[in-house]
């Protein structure tokens, strides 16, 4: 029995949504159910995905499932920080495949605007090992910056190559009405921006955001009754790496992504060259370059060259993040994975508008939690 | 003695390896070694996942290490804003374990290079809190 | 293909464990693997279950899975407050049943001693609807007290009957070396205790605690290779009720438990009378009385009579919480469900010592998150 | 106007139904009604899950209600400790919706009985914050 994604939804990602988390989720849920032959009463279970402590509501699963009219169906909260909603999709897949449920809603959200950026980084810092690493003033940009430094040292990757990731991002974000930043950015602007954590500068980093996403999954039988354009889950991979930086053996790539990709390709009987369009977790520019290598779009060391040669633009070898990616869309932690999946689903359904990759049949989503702690790769097929 | 004197800001006060802080005050940076399989742990841990043993011995590190990677932070999380810029580093100890710590402020940013020799050293803050940092070897 | 529980572990539940959360989890993990033909390297995935904000560590899944030596296997964090580890067991079941994984570790923990009891209640209060109910000074005892008041009004349940739940709890806790409170309590002591939230008094309420639990699950094939005494997951049910009190239609029972029980009995082809021993979520005495009714151990209205007649002692109609229950063991939120499952597994393996229910073949676990928000019922079979 | 004046302590400042607080300041306790299916929501909500509509109208509640259940708290979460004892109640409004609120301090604990008539009433705190409470009818 195959498992399908039948509906996807997303709110605009913004700096200050001005609404409550349940209202935010409702908006994504409503888009996901649009045009489906499905009412909310037919949804068997929901999985609510986010990272805690950015807003005051604890245990939001009950709150949100009530507001969406999903009570008395079971619900719970799933978290793997930035990849929470990909984790939700994996659990949704197994709920359906195991026969426990037939239709599952995976709802991701984050409202980060209630607290300052330094407070957000403090919470993110406490997502590191609070005993041995947080006391040193850890934060997300610093973690990825250490990978960037090692990648530059070992492979000769340049700050210009990093900046070119952001230039691509800006170009496509211009066409994404849901993105926070919808403007093209020049290479020069990127290179002249202030340093956040060397060698990463302002435009090498994604922005905190408010937003929600929703993915509706269904068994093959239910999917066929619900929509004419189901998108099939072809492969799912998930792996972890140590939370501690000291536990890492590889400083120039994310082994959790390598492991997850291997599993997903194997399950789907697909190879990197079969992927027509991909969404990768570009929380920082270096993350996208490592993703190229970790997913097999190029060899290790050649990520910088791949963007240099514009091979990840539409028309290139493998179009990546043609919705603008996290760098321009914004990164509302729990909602991000669902947004990536939505982009690929729309691509495979031929509904991606100006950024449509023609004839896309196979899409990939690469969603990472923390600084390479939780790796998730999902392969979808038309 | 509890662990809450460790670090500029402490988020954790109780741990089986709280003695680490006591040793650190005496100028010693200690790892733990599993008496069952012989594996060395740094940061120290009280339990060995490889054989589920809890029989560990404290062992002093020489402090000799080499820089693996680093970053200089110009923006900081709440609680650390007054410290910017500071350089976070990962280093490889000669005993094989790795250490995550700040580079000493005495090292200029343009002197830093991956592979350079460093010395892991205890550091006492003026307010009595304790930590370790990476100095030029 | 059947899914089994092959190993269970639990730390002592205590007021102040004095160790870090990963060290706490290690202890439960170690007990769970004891006597199994299994190394930690063979575990395919872990699910880390707790409720956030009681300690400072965020995203503990990565931290704990690293400390247990489970890296690079996938891990994530699952939460449904007090029923988090039952939720973990449900996900573990579906991971295995779906074919994604063969052996899964479900680890529940909570360290509540770092903050005061009023702070714990503040966090629990923010597990209610923070917009419309938390601003009134909500807390867990108040929520269950409102059910108690309605139950007393409608069915004539008495404070003496509530107290008798705690008297039973004390009797069995005396025999449980892992319980916080190991002493018998008299009816008089219970009735004279200070009021927390009328009509609930001190001994009607369970205590916050530190603790961890671990459940190792396996596919049928792997289970047979791992242990001679697998315990089979016969039925799993999960349901929700509104987070808001205003959304509730039933004030004398938890409909999420009724719904979850119905699903579990149906899946297992079992009826209430088939259950030989049960663990129910007695966070408050009234909760155990409602559980009797909601699980079908007696008719609605007759819960008070069932304890009055001592039918839930060993030797009675259906022995319930013969490990002392949450009321005496303590309630380290994320660890609680796993502890309940451990008790039933030991019963079905004939390893329950002085509280062994002779010939127990079928056991039930009833684990509730929040004030009747998340209902989980698991049926296990020898 | 934002929602953060509502309640003794506010945990949420932004919501599509923030106007509720504005009405409350004017002495009106408002519900919302879905213009699509006619369902009445209290607490008010901006969205109707039954038909996924967001087309809602504000509608005043009469305030007439009956006590469904209650508890008197003698222990309180952080932030509410100075208020004990206080009585939390759930009441059924004549319009069919339910309300969760404190019982007025003017009602003696021995007067309280399930089924009693109550009046849902706006309440202003001395510090300017606003809420509602259940008074004797
Ligand atoms: Zn060892
Ligand atoms: Zn409606």
């Amino acid at each position: 029995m195959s498992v399908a994604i039948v509906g996807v939804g997303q709110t605009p990602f913004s700096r200050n949504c001005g609404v409550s988390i349940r209202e935010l989720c409702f908006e994504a849920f409503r888009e996901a159910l649009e045009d489906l032959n499905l009412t909310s009463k037919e949804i068997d279970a929901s999985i609510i995905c986010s990272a805690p402590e950015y807003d005051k509501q604890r245990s939001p699963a009950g709150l949100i499932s009530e507001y969406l009219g999903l009570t008395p169906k079971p619900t719970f909260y799933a978290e793997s920080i930035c990849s929470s909603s990909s984790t939700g999709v994996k659990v949704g897949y197994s709920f359906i495949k195991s026969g426990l449920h037939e239709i599952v809603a995976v709802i991701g959200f984050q409202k980060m605007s209630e607290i300052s950026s330094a407070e957000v980084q403090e919470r993110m810092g406490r997502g590191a090992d609070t005993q041995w690493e947080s006391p040193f003033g850890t934060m997300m940009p610093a973690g990825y910056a250490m990978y960037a430094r090692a990648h530059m040292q070992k492979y000769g990757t340049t700050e210009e190559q990093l900046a070119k990731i952001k230039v691509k991002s800006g170009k496509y974000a211009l066409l994404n009405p849901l993105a926070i930043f919808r403007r093209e950015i020049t290479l020069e602007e990127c290179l002249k921006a202030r340093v956040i954590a060397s060698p990463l500068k302002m435009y090498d980093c994604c922005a905190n955001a408010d937003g929600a996403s929703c993915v509706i999954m269904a068994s093959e039988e239910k999917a066929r009754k619900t929509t004419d354009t189901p998108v099939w889950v072809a492969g799912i991979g998930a792996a972890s790496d140590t939370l501690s930086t000291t536990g890492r053996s590889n400083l120039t790539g994310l082994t959790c992504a390598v492991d997850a990709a291997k599993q997903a390709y194997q399950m789907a009987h697909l190879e990197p060259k079969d992927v027509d369009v991909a969404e990768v977790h570009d929380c920082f520019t270096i993350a996208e370059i490592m993703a190229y290598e970790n997913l097999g779009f190029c060899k290790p060391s050649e990520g910088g060259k791949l963007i240099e040669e514009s091979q990840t633009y539409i028309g290139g070898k493998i179009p990546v993040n043609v919705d603008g990616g996290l760098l321009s869309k914004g990164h509302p932690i729990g909602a991000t994975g669902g947004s990536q999946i939505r982009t690929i689903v729309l691509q495979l359904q031929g509904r991606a508008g100006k950024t449509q990759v023609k004839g896309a049949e196979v899409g990939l989503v690469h969603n990472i939690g923390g600084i390479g702690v939780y790796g998730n790769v999902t392969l979808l097929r038309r | 003695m509890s662990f809450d004197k460790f670090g500029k800001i402490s988020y954790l006060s109780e741990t089986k390896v709280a003695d680490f802080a006591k040793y650190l005050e005496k100028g010693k940076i200690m790892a733990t070694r599993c008496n069952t399989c012989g594996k060395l742990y740094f940061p120290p841990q009280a339990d060995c996942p490889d054989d589920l043993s809890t029989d560990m011995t404290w062992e002093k590190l020489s402090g000799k290490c080499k820089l693996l990677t680093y970053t200089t932070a110009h923006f900081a999380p709440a609680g650390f804003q007054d410290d910017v810029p500071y350089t976070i580093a990962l280093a490889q100890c000669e005993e094989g374990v790795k250490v995550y710590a700040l580079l000493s402020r005495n090292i200029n940013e343009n002197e830093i290079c991956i592979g350079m020799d460093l010395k892991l050293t205890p550091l006492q803050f003026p307010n009595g809190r304790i930590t370790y940092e990476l100095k030029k070897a």
Side-chain angles (χ1 to χ4, degrees), chain A residues 84-376:
Chain A
S84 297
S85 45
S86 284
T87 294
V89 165
K90 177 185 165 181
V91 175
Y93 172 89
S94 70
F95 276 173
I96 293 167
K97 190 80 178 173
S98 68
L100 282 182
H101 300 298
E102 292 186 297
I103 304 178
V104 176
V106 179
I107 292 129
F109 79 90
Q110 211 75 55
K111 185 173 180 189
M112 306 179 75
S113 61
E114 290 191 6
I115 54 181
S116 74
S117 195
E119 285 174 304
V120 166
Q121 289 302 334
E122 187 269 346
R123 281 155 180 71
M124 288 186 180
R126 288 194 287 105
D129 180 338
T130 54
Q131 183 169 5
W132 298 107
E133 302 196 358
S134 307
F136 293 101
T138 327
M139 55 173 187
M140 294 292 295
Y144 271 97
M146 290 168 87
Y147 273 88
R149 184 65 74 192
H151 204 276
M152 290 165 76
Q153 168 80 10
K154 184 168 178 189
Y155 297 136
T157 305
T158 64
E159 297 189 30
E160 286 74 14
Q161 288 170 337
L162 297 179
K164 281 178 178 170
I165 295 288
K166 175 67 179 182
V167 171
K168 170 170 74 67
S169 164
K171 177 186 156 92
Y172 289 121
L174 200 60
L175 304 172
N176 183 350
L178 302 183
I180 284 193
F181 303 118
R182 269 171 286 163
R183 71 174 186 92
E184 296 207 52
I185 302 227
T186 65
L187 190 65
E188 210 171 29
E189 278 180 285
C190 292
L191 293 172
K192 275 169 39 187
R194 71 188 174 95
V195 176
I196 302 294
S198 68
L200 301 180
K201 296 172 288 298
M202 197 174 72
Y203 293 118
D204 289 301
C205 308
C206 69
N208 303 328
D210 297 345
S213 64
C214 177
V215 176
I216 309 285
M217 306 179 74
S219 66
E220 188 165 352
E221 190 194 332
K222 290 286 181 183
R224 302 241 183 247
K225 288 183 188 164
T226 300
T227 178
D228 294 332
T229 54
V231 166
W232 305 99
V233 179
I236 283 193
S240 69
D241 202 348
T242 60
L243 184 71
S244 71
T245 312
T246 49
R248 300 292 171 91
S249 52
N250 178 358
L251 297 172
T252 53
L254 303 183
T255 60
C256 68
V258 174
D259 293 348
K262 200 178 296 176
Q263 294 167 32
Y265 286 131
Q266 194 166 5
M267 178 172 163
H269 306 291
L270 290 170
E271 291 177 47
K273 66 171 173 46
D274 300 320
V275 178
D276 299 309
V277 57
E279 281 280 294
V280 312
H281 194 86
D282 60 331
C283 49
F284 300 94
T285 49
I286 181 64
E288 180 162 330
I289 287 187
M290 291 194 293
Y292 295 165
E293 301 172 3
N294 301 158
L295 295 168
F297 296 158
C298 63
K299 288 185 197 146
S301 83
E302 295 184 349
K305 200 175 131 217
L306 201 70
I307 183 67
E308 189 83 55
E309 294 174 350
S310 301
Q311 293 291 4
T312 51
Y313 280 77
I314 293 173
K317 194 177 151 196
I318 167 72
V320 173
N321 291 352
V322 296
D323 61 357
L326 284 57
L327 284 167
S328 294
K329 282 194 303 185
H331 180 21
I333 308 179
T336 292
S339 164
Q340 294 178 301
I341 285 169
R342 174 178 172 276
T343 292
I344 295 299
V345 166
L346 295 180
Q347 285 281 349
L348 299 180
Q349 290 175 330
R351 294 165 58 206
K354 288 181 183 164
T355 57
Q356 180 68 47
V357 173
K358 271 183 204 152
E361 303 237 341
V362 170
L364 179 148
V365 173
H366 160 276
N367 188 196
I368 305 294
I371 303 159
V373 182
Y374 310 104
N376 292 275

